[in-house]
Amino acid sequence: MEERPPWDPEAWGSVEGRPAPRAARTGPSLSSVLNELPSAATLRYRGPGVLPWGSEEAEDEEAWRSMQTSADAALQEQPEPGASRELPWPMLARRAHRQRLARDRVAQGAGSAGAQWTRLIRRSKEKVREGLRSLQPWAWTLKRIGGQFGAGTESYFSLLRFLLLLNVLASVLTACMILLPTWLEGTPPGPPAPNASSPCGSYNPGSHGLVTFATELFNLLSGEGFLEWSPLFYGFYPPRPHLAITYLCAAFAIGLLYLLLILHRSVSGLKQTLLAESEALTRYSHRVFSAWDFGLSGEVHVRLRQRLILYELQVELEEARVRRRAAVRTLGQQARLWSVRLLLNLVVLALLGAAFYGIYWATGATVDLQDKPLIQRTPVLKLVVDYLPSIFISVVNFVLPPVFKLIAPLEGYTRSRQIVFILLRTVSLRLVSLLVLLFSLWNEITCGGDAEDERCKTCDYNYKELPCWETRMGQEMYKLLLFDLLTGLAVILLYQFPRKLLCGLCPGVLGRFARTQEFQVPDEVLGLIYAQTVVWVGSFFCPLLPLLNTVKFLLLFYLKKITLFSTCSPASRTFRASTVNFFFPLVLLLGLAISAVPVLYSIFLIPPSKLCGPFRGQSSIWVVIPASIRELPQTAQNVLFFLGTQAFAVPLLLISSILMAYTVALANSYGRLISELKRQIQTEAQNKVFLAQRAVALSSADRTL
């Protein structure tokens, strides 16, 4: 009998290189099994001429075609140069792949100039991204926090790092656009001398005569005395034309920078939120089989990753349980639930209204008490009266958030939704409290909007009580920020650490129960957003406030980290980080919009002080911009004034509408494509389940035989 070599195709039962037909076997044929797949119904809609599943020709043709297609795809879809490290191959295979690509490049030449520039730009972008990732501070600390306490706690520290970046950039712009022009044009003059001929009175900041240490300390806490005439506040800067322009441009540049960076962060968070809530990647099989990082080395990294996956699974299971309960509710149960939600929201509105009225009363009482002789003679009482609005706001924000936490679980939402509603209510409390305080100050500055009032008739503002109202605004924001910092330090140093030490001495269950403290993410995030909103409101009237906030956030980060690892335990119930990663920047945008209202109102409508600041003597702060434009060449003036006409606005609106319509159409097409892909994923999942069931049935039948 003639032996055939092993490479002979006929030895493998093939004809012309094709695989030989499979031998007949007992049991159901492959065609009958494939025809029962859930996706077979979809295949029948492809039109006439499509062979049924499992026919002889289909099996042979499909086997040969699949091998040829996979081979062609392997040749055509070669990875891009430099992407070998991302392939799921062993190191030797990656090295061989890189060497083969290098030989191909040498053999084929350098390629076209366009391809070279494309590769160069792509590599440059990758290097820039890697460099920026390596420059991120506290990357390992955030990873450790996420592994031990969940992604929700990690999101707080990530937000803190982002706000620190915002304040650092704002401080750099302030130094370049305000501080440097102030000293480059000469040394700033001292406080103004008393001028009896001025119709707006006189302004004498600073301390006079011998000042005690206690008075200096009170001045440091209230922003008065030696701090009132310093670069910290608006009134210090002299009325120079170039400084006035740079001062106003710095405010707009910093606001635009804030807006762009927060929008960029919120858009990236929105993508994560939509992906997470679409349940496309929240299948448990995805968590189990795709969430692990096989490149981890070291027991610490492995344990942190295990805990992170555990927290994610807890969130998914809890939200799935809530959704399952919501799906089986009857109409009567849903009506009862919505009635409870309506009643609870009415209670929340009543509490918020009472708090706002109390803050308005405290601000008015502060103005009345400051004129009392006893208050003027006693520095301690004067300091308490100055801080009365801040104290009242802090008391309200200490009492009401726990009430909101008790209300949120009664509304029947998931844990992530509860966090969102708690943050909405507490942020509304703090931000609207700040607006009430600003409204009280506006009422004092503009005499309640009555231009005929005797106090405001001469200079269009209350010059008798507030000769430099911008500095007074800055002092109020300075006191709010300082009081927020002092209360945070007091809670950490006088409550959390002593509780940890004292409860450690208690034996048994009582000691363990009292020692357990969870990191309250909503409260902590609320403090960050409130402090940042105060900075946004006061940065125009107190230019160095972002620098003070930078120092505060640095101190806060390290104190919170020490507190977290030494006194806090992991949360018993965590929540989805993707939701808060979108919601936190959204609340920041709300704070930025609220802070823009008083600043823009002050710039455009309230007359500046006649005795202090770079805009003294002007009818409004905005007047310096048109005046500076008129000093430019005629061509530049025509261009800038054309940008404010209807001839420019109408085409811009039309182009924006066309781009918006195109974007909406593109989004709809992508949405349809995503829906189709989701249906295909569901069909493939059903196929796998069906095949697994048939395999189990066949194996049990073989064991029976």
Side-chain angles (χ1 to χ4, degrees):
M1 183 177 180
E2 182 182 358
E3 277 192 18
R4 292 174 179 164
W7 45 266
D8 192 352
E10 296 183 3
W12 296 91
S14 60
V15 180
E16 296 181 359
R18 293 189 179 184
R22 297 178 181 177
R25 61 178 182 272
T26 60
S29 64
L30 180 61
S31 60
S32 62
V33 174
L34 294 180
N35 277 323
E36 296 177 10
L37 287 175
S39 58
T42 305
L43 184 66
R44 297 189 189 102
Y45 289 101
R46 296 181 184 176
V50 178
L51 293 174
W53 281 107
S55 63
E56 294 292 332
E57 294 83 1
E59 287 188 15
D60 296 343
E61 291 287 342
E62 186 65 27
W64 176 251
R65 192 181 298 111
S66 63
M67 288 190 298
Q68 291 293 331
T69 304
S70 60
D72 295 340
L75 292 175
Q76 294 176 3
E77 299 180 2
Q78 289 291 343
E80 295 292 334
S84 301
R85 62 181 179 276
E86 300 178 1
L87 296 174
W89 294 352
M91 293 298 295
L92 293 176
R94 295 181 188 177
R95 188 178 297 112
H97 178 258
R98 286 195 298 269
Q99 293 174 357
R100 185 173 67 253
L101 289 178
R103 288 195 300 268
D104 293 343
R105 283 196 295 268
V106 172
Q108 297 176 3
S112 63
Q116 284 187 1
W117 279 106
T118 303
R119 288 194 297 268
L120 182 61
I121 293 174
R122 184 173 59 251
R123 292 174 184 174
S124 301
K125 288 182 179 179
E126 292 177 357
K127 290 180 180 178
V128 168
R129 291 195 192 98
E130 292 178 359
L132 291 177
R133 281 195 296 265
S134 64
L135 291 176
Q136 285 184 350
W138 309 312
W140 163 244
T141 302
L142 264 64
K143 182 178 180 181
R144 184 184 172 195
I145 290 171
Q148 292 192 8
F149 298 93
T153 307
E154 181 186 359
S155 64
Y156 163 78
F157 285 90
S158 177
L159 178 66
L160 179 57
R161 182 177 63 179
F162 174 69
L163 293 179
L164 182 63
L165 172 65
L166 291 184
N167 285 278
V168 168
L169 294 177
S171 302
V172 172
L173 285 177
T174 301
C176 295
M177 301 183 70
I178 296 179
L179 296 180
L180 283 180
T182 301
W183 269 272
L184 287 177
E185 295 186 15
T187 304
N195 188 2
S197 62
S198 175
C200 297
S202 62
Y203 176 55
N204 299 315
S207 303
H208 304 282
L210 184 62
V211 180
T212 62
F213 175 75
T215 304
E216 293 290 353
L217 180 60
F218 293 146
N219 291 336
L220 178 65
L221 295 176
S222 62
E224 299 176 355
F226 68 96
L227 279 181
E228 188 171 354
W229 194 261
S230 68
L232 185 62
F233 293 110
Y234 166 92
F236 170 80
Y237 297 94
R240 296 168 180 169
H242 297 294
L243 178 61
I245 296 171
T246 57
Y247 194 101
L248 189 56
C249 290
F252 287 111
I254 292 172
L256 182 62
L257 178 67
Y258 284 144
L259 179 63
L260 293 178
L261 291 179
I262 295 174
L263 282 176
H264 178 268
R265 185 177 178 88
S266 61
V267 168
S268 60
L270 178 61
K271 294 177 182 178
Q272 298 175 4
T273 303
L274 294 177
L275 186 62
E277 293 187 351
S278 65
E279 301 182 4
L281 293 180
T282 56
R283 310 290 183 187
Y284 302 123
S285 59
H286 170 77
R287 297 291 183 192
V288 173
F289 295 108
S290 303
W292 187 253
D293 185 2
F294 291 92
L296 293 176
S297 60
E299 185 178 357
V300 177
H301 298 273
V302 171
R303 191 180 300 112
L304 291 179
R305 188 64 181 176
Q306 288 174 345
R307 290 177 180 173
L308 189 60
I309 297 174
L310 173 64
Y311 289 137
E312 291 177 352
L313 289 176
Q314 287 178 351
V315 173
E316 299 300 336
L317 290 172
E318 182 180 359
E319 294 191 355
R321 186 165 55 251
V322 173
R323 286 193 295 266
R324 188 166 58 250
R325 284 201 302 264
V328 298
R329 287 195 189 107
T330 62
L331 184 60
Q333 292 175 341
Q334 289 183 356
R336 191 182 311 115
L337 178 62
W338 281 103
S339 301
V340 171
R341 289 176 179 175
L342 179 61
L343 179 62
L344 292 176
N345 280 281
L346 290 177
V347 173
V348 169
L349 290 177
L351 292 174
L352 291 176
F356 300 152
Y357 177 77
I359 293 169
Y360 181 79
W361 171 85
T363 307
T366 301
V367 177
D368 296 335
L369 291 174
Q370 284 177 343
D371 297 331
K372 302 292 183 181
L374 179 62
I375 303 298
Q376 294 292 334
R377 291 195 303 267
T378 310
V380 177
L381 291 179
K382 186 177 183 301
L383 183 65
V384 172
V385 169
D386 289 339
Y387 273 90
L388 186 59
S390 302
I391 293 172
F392 196 90
I393 290 175
S394 299
V395 170
V396 168
N397 289 304
F398 179 76
V399 173
L400 289 187
V403 178
F404 296 155
K405 288 180 189 175
L406 294 176
I407 290 175
L410 303 177
E411 296 178 300
Y413 293 111
T414 62
R415 176 64 173 166
S416 300
R417 283 293 171 81
Q418 291 177 23
I419 296 295
V420 169
F421 277 101
I422 292 172
L423 278 175
L424 273 177
R425 289 160 182 166
T426 50
V427 165
S428 301
L429 173 65
R430 284 217 172 187
L431 295 185
V432 180
S433 301
L434 184 60
L435 281 181
V436 172
L437 175 62
L438 292 173
F439 175 77
S440 303
L441 292 173
W442 169 84
N443 197 19
E444 184 181 355
I445 293 168
T446 62
C447 304
D450 185 8
E452 299 299 327
D453 193 287
E454 291 296 332
R455 298 172 298 170
C456 301
K457 191 173 183 179
T458 305
C459 299
D460 297 327
Y461 66 93
N462 190 358
Y463 67 93
K464 293 182 179 180
E465 298 178 5
L466 301 172
C468 187
W469 63 265
E470 295 93 346
T471 297
R472 172 64 186 276
M473 288 280 294
Q475 287 172 346
E476 291 297 329
M477 299 302 107
Y478 171 80
K479 286 185 286 188
L480 286 175
L481 185 65
L482 189 60
F483 189 79
D484 186 67
L485 172 62
L486 294 178
T487 52
L489 292 177
V491 169
I492 293 174
L493 300 178
L494 302 180
Y495 172 70
Q496 292 181 341
F497 281 114
R499 176 184 174 182
K500 179 74 174 180
L501 295 176
L502 293 176
C503 295
L505 302 176
C506 299
V509 180
L510 179 62
R512 289 195 300 270
F513 175 76
R515 193 165 53 245
T516 301
Q517 302 180 58
E518 293 186 4
F519 191 82
Q520 301 296 330
V521 176
D523 296 342
E524 302 296 341
V525 170
L526 172 65
L528 291 183
I529 295 173
Y530 172 74
Q532 190 61 46
T533 306
V534 169
V535 171
W536 287 335
V537 174
S539 58
F540 184 79
F541 311 104
C542 184
L544 297 186
L545 209 57
L547 180 61
L548 297 179
N549 205 32
T550 302
V551 177
K552 175 195 170 182
F553 281 163
L554 274 174
L555 180 63
L556 190 66
F557 182 89
Y558 289 106
L559 284 177
K560 290 295 182 182
K561 186 185 75 169
I562 295 172
T563 304
L564 183 68
F565 286 110
S566 60
T567 66
C568 295
S569 59
S572 57
R573 297 176 64 201
T574 182
F575 53 92
R576 193 189 299 275
S578 59
T579 302
V580 295
N581 285 336
F582 165 68
F583 185 71
F584 289 170
L586 191 65
V587 177
L588 278 177
L589 284 176
L590 176 63
L592 184 62
I594 290 177
S595 63
V597 174
V599 175
L600 294 177
Y601 186 86
S602 303
I603 290 175
F604 288 100
L605 296 179
I606 302 181
S609 299
K610 303 297 189 295
L611 302 174
C612 66
F615 304 99
R616 67 185 76 169
Q618 305 289 340
S619 59
S620 69
I621 295 176
W622 176 253
V623 168
V624 297
I625 297 298
S628 61
I629 291 177
R630 293 189 185 94
E631 297 177 0
L632 297 174
Q634 188 62 38
T635 305
Q637 291 186 35
N638 295 335
V639 171
L640 292 176
F641 283 118
F642 172 74
L643 296 179
T645 59
Q646 295 181 356
F648 175 77
V650 172
L652 181 63
L653 180 62
L654 291 176
I655 294 174
S656 302
S657 302
I658 293 172
L659 290 177
M660 188 178 299
Y662 172 75
T663 305
V664 170
L666 194 63
N668 291 334
S669 64
Y670 285 160
R672 289 192 295 270
L673 181 60
I674 291 172
S675 301
E676 182 65 27
L677 291 175
K678 286 181 180 179
R679 285 194 294 269
Q680 291 183 11
I681 290 174
Q682 293 176 357
T683 304
E684 292 296 328
Q686 294 172 1
N687 287 344
K688 291 181 175 63
V689 171
F690 174 77
L691 291 176
Q693 292 173 351
R694 292 304 303 265
V696 171
L698 291 175
S699 61
S700 61
D702 291 342
R703 283 196 300 270
T704 303
L705 294 175

